[in-house]
Amino acid sequence: MGASNPLREERLRKLTQWRQRGIDPYPTRFLRTHLAEELHKIFHDLPPGSDSSSHVRVAGRITAKRVMGGASFLDLRDGSGRIQLHGTADLLGDERYELFTQLDIGDFLGVEGLVFRTKKGELSVRVEEFMLLAKALRPLPEKWHGLQDVEIRYRQRYLDLIANEHARKIAITRSRIVSAMRRFLDSEGFLEVETPILQPLYGGAAAKPFTTYHNALNMTLYLRISDELYLKRLIIGGLEKVYEIGKDFRNEGISTKHNPEFTQMECYWAYADYYDMMALTERMISHIATEVLGSTKICYQGHEIDLTPPWQRITFREAILAYTGIDIERYPTLSELRDAIARHKLSLDPQPTWGKQVDELLKTYVEPKLIQPTFVLDYPIELSPLAKRKSDNPRLVERFEPFIGAMEFGNAFSELNDPIDQRERFLAQEALHRAGDEETQPLDEDFLTALEYGMPPTGGLGIGIDRLTMILTDAPSIREVILFPTLRREGGA
């Protein structure tokens, strides 16, 4: 249990005393009649110094305590808000009142009593009966209403949710974002499906996978890095509009924008292209903002942002030219591109391939400038092995990424449905892997077999739920919007 904690020892002593009195400090249930928020709505016009005629049963965690002789006040917080409790020796009797005063901040309590408003105007419940529902053996952090230690907040999220209203609001908003997205896609005729998380071969994104092993089947499996290739199989099978909201896993670094375990929505739409997916994206995001926040105008990290369609559109080439002065089409090899970067005196991490290097240009010099909603489109084919070529420029593909608040939060294509071209792309990815690129697509024969049965023209879209939640809750880090983010082992290097 670690070093002795005097406060915990004192609470353990109280726990023993409750049990010695024949009281179960962890009873099975308590039937409550109202939430705190409901009481405030029902009795909003009760005058100061007045009693109502209503007896109620409320329950929650004690978050403040003030003992003043024969009268005590407790603040009780439930999932909806706070209500004040007023307990007196006159009403409870000396023995029960003494137990009432022995309650600690953090304990869960159920009470029954009359609703009244104090002379100072505080809506309260006059305690006639009470029941300890769960004895808290550890005290809440000092100044629990403002827990600031980031390490504690992330490792012990339950304390963060107790202490910080903002953390609770983010969790609730995230849930509403996902629900609004699901309702939107359902209303558009998409069918929600489930595809495997454990896969015999990973694919659908440029990322390193997590590897596991199935003992009974004697085979290596991978945690999926994307839902894409399985969702496309469903398009091939005749399900023309499908989507999935679920976990993906990528064995990569952790940052304010990256968590190895993350939530993504992917949808695929037969007979659509990337222009259709752009229109779908801007309608969906503006709809979610309106439903969840009540407006398409938001503030993200000090920037006023308007999500109202239509969003700005700019090509990959135009964006890099505008913000770096480099026209990437003039430098078709990695060495020529690196020379141009050096001539423009740009500071950039060297990458193993031309495609990765131009992508690094975009991330370093373009992405930080894309504050208002923007689609960057028409990517180099080297970065997009699953997207359809542009008919007027075979070096580019019909792909876009959406950006808001200087952050990319999605990816979309006109999906490649030519099985011969797809095989060549997979082979090209293998060559890139041999050249040193660890984040490439492996050749998937099973998917190629499916593709040879024919897939209609299809548009595909992936949206990162975590990053979208960051944008809509003004959160600076992905760890703020994931209840239990991946962290280093405590005390580890």
Side-chain angles (χ1 to χ4, degrees):
M1 294 299 294
S4 176
N5 183 327
L7 293 176
R8 183 174 180 275
E9 295 298 324
E10 172 62 17
R11 290 185 178 223
L12 281 169
R13 183 186 64 78
K14 290 183 179 181
L15 179 70
T16 300
Q17 290 177 345
W18 282 81
R19 284 181 164 147
Q20 289 173 345
R21 291 173 181 261
I23 300 171
D24 181 2
Y26 302 100
T28 302
R29 64 177 303 192
F30 178 84
L31 180 62
R32 63 182 176 185
T33 60
H34 293 81
L35 297 173
E37 182 182 48
E38 293 174 329
L39 295 181
H40 285 286
K41 289 179 179 178
I42 294 170
F43 300 102
H44 69 279
D45 57 354
L46 187 65
S50 300
D51 290 357
S52 76
S53 59
S54 298
H55 283 75
V56 299
R57 291 167 63 87
V58 295
R61 187 190 291 273
I62 299 169
T63 56
K65 175 182 174 182
R66 301 173 295 284
V67 178
M68 297 172 287
S72 296
F73 292 93
L74 304 180
D75 284 354
L76 194 75
R77 180 175 289 276
D78 62 23
S80 70
R82 182 190 69 86
I83 189 73
Q84 179 172 267
L85 307 180
H86 181 228
T88 64
D90 290 343
L91 194 57
L92 292 171
D94 291 341
E95 184 177 352
R96 291 286 289 169
Y97 180 69
E98 190 221 341
L99 275 176
F100 189 76
T101 62
Q102 290 300 305
L103 294 165
D104 289 308
I105 292 175
D107 291 349
F108 280 89
L109 183 69
V111 304
E112 180 177 348
L114 187 74
V115 178
F116 75 103
R117 194 177 295 277
T118 67
K119 293 179 180 179
K120 292 185 177 180
E122 183 75 22
L123 190 69
S124 307
V125 176
R126 186 175 292 122
V127 181
E128 298 171 1
E129 296 290 343
F130 70 91
M131 179 187 293
L132 177 63
L133 302 180
K135 181 66 186 172
L137 300 183
R138 294 180 183 269
L140 300 179
E142 286 189 32
K143 300 180 181 178
W144 65 271
H145 43 55
L147 179 64
Q148 297 298 321
D149 189 310
V150 171
E151 186 73 9
I152 292 177
R153 289 183 54 237
Y154 294 155
R155 290 193 184 279
Q156 297 176 278
R157 182 67 85 182
Y158 46 90
L159 293 181
D160 189 28
L161 294 170
I162 293 168
N164 291 319
E165 176 65 29
H166 185 60
R168 292 193 295 275
K169 185 177 180 182
I170 288 176
I172 293 168
T173 301
R174 179 190 174 109
S175 177
R176 291 174 177 168
I177 288 168
V178 174
S179 296
M181 178 178 285
R182 182 172 275 117
R183 281 191 295 271
F184 175 86
L185 290 168
D186 289 346
S187 72
E188 293 283 322
F190 284 85
L191 177 70
E192 184 171 13
V193 297
E194 296 179 356
T195 62
I197 292 176
L198 288 175
Q199 301 181 348
L201 187 66
Y202 61 94
K208 290 184 289 185
F210 288 94
T211 305
T212 188
Y213 191 80
H214 194 292
N215 293 328
L217 295 179
N218 192 29
M219 64 185 294
T220 297
L221 293 170
Y222 303 93
L223 295 182
R224 70 181 177 197
I225 61 174
S226 170
D227 315 0
E228 178 169 346
L229 300 186
Y230 281 90
L231 290 173
K232 285 181 178 178
R233 287 171 169 92
L234 299 181
I235 294 287
I236 293 167
L239 300 180
E240 294 186 351
K241 298 177 83 171
V242 294
Y243 77 96
E244 182 170 16
I245 298 174
K247 292 287 189 180
D248 290 326
F249 307 84
R250 297 180 183 177
N251 201 344
E252 59 190 16
I254 296 173
S255 73
T256 57
K257 296 180 182 179
H258 296 87
N259 193 71
E261 176 184 356
F262 63 100
T263 304
Q264 185 169 214
M265 184 285 297
E266 288 198 43
C267 64
Y268 291 82
W269 179 3
Y271 309 106
D273 64 11
Y274 75 146
Y275 290 111
D276 296 309
M277 305 316 285
M278 282 185 225
L280 181 76
T281 301
E282 59 191 6
R283 284 194 296 111
M284 178 170 61
I285 302 305
S286 61
H287 171 87
I288 291 169
T290 300
E291 182 172 322
V292 176
L293 306 178
S295 174
T296 57
K297 293 181 172 60
I298 64 170
C299 181
Y300 183 68
Q301 300 302 290
H303 298 287
E304 297 292 332
I305 296 173
D306 189 351
L307 303 176
T308 305
W311 295 359
Q312 177 184 353
R313 288 152 168 78
I314 186 172
T315 68
F316 188 97
R317 177 190 180 188
E318 291 168 344
I320 291 178
L321 180 60
Y323 292 105
T324 70
I326 294 176
D327 183 351
I328 59 174
E329 289 206 357
R330 292 182 57 193
Y331 309 105
T333 68
L334 179 59
S335 60
E336 289 174 322
L337 180 62
R338 284 177 173 171
D339 288 344
I341 291 170
R343 287 196 302 273
H344 284 77
K345 299 181 179 179
L346 302 178
S347 177
L348 207 65
D349 292 335
Q351 299 297 318
T353 65
W354 183 91
K356 290 285 187 179
Q357 197 69 70
V358 294
D359 195 39
E360 193 70 13
L361 274 173
L362 185 84
K363 291 176 180 177
T364 304
Y365 290 100
V366 178
E367 185 169 349
K369 303 293 195 300
L370 302 180
I371 305 301
Q372 296 302 319
T374 303
F375 294 121
V376 176
L377 57 148
D378 299 346
Y379 277 59
I381 194 170
E382 289 88 343
L383 294 173
S384 315
L386 298 169
K388 183 169 289 189
R389 296 175 192 265
K390 287 184 67 65
S391 58
D392 59 349
N393 188 341
R395 288 201 63 187
L396 303 179
V397 295
E398 294 189 356
R399 173 189 175 189
F400 73 84
E401 289 183 313
F403 294 80
I404 296 175
M407 181 163 57
E408 171 265 311
F409 67 97
N411 192 22
F413 312 146
S414 295
E415 301 295 336
L416 177 58
N417 62 344
D418 178 343
I420 306 302
D421 191 358
Q422 183 64 83
R423 179 177 294 277
E424 292 172 354
R425 304 275 194 96
F426 279 148
L427 293 173
Q429 287 285 295
E430 289 188 335
L432 292 175
H433 186 78
R434 291 191 296 271
D437 188 348
E438 296 182 340
E439 297 181 343
T440 55
Q441 300 268 342
L443 192 152
D444 189 334
E445 288 287 359
D446 184 77
F447 175 68
L448 289 171
T449 296
L451 204 57
E452 288 185 359
Y453 282 95
M455 185 176 83
T458 298
L461 168 68
I463 296 291
I465 300 295
D466 309 299
R467 292 188 185 180
L468 178 60
T469 303
M470 288 173 62
I471 292 165
L472 296 183
T473 61
D474 192 21
S477 170
I478 198 169
R479 290 182 292 181
E480 294 288 345
V481 303
I482 297 175
L483 284 171
F484 299 100
T486 304
L487 302 169
R488 289 184 184 274
R489 185 177 302 165
E490 195 166 9

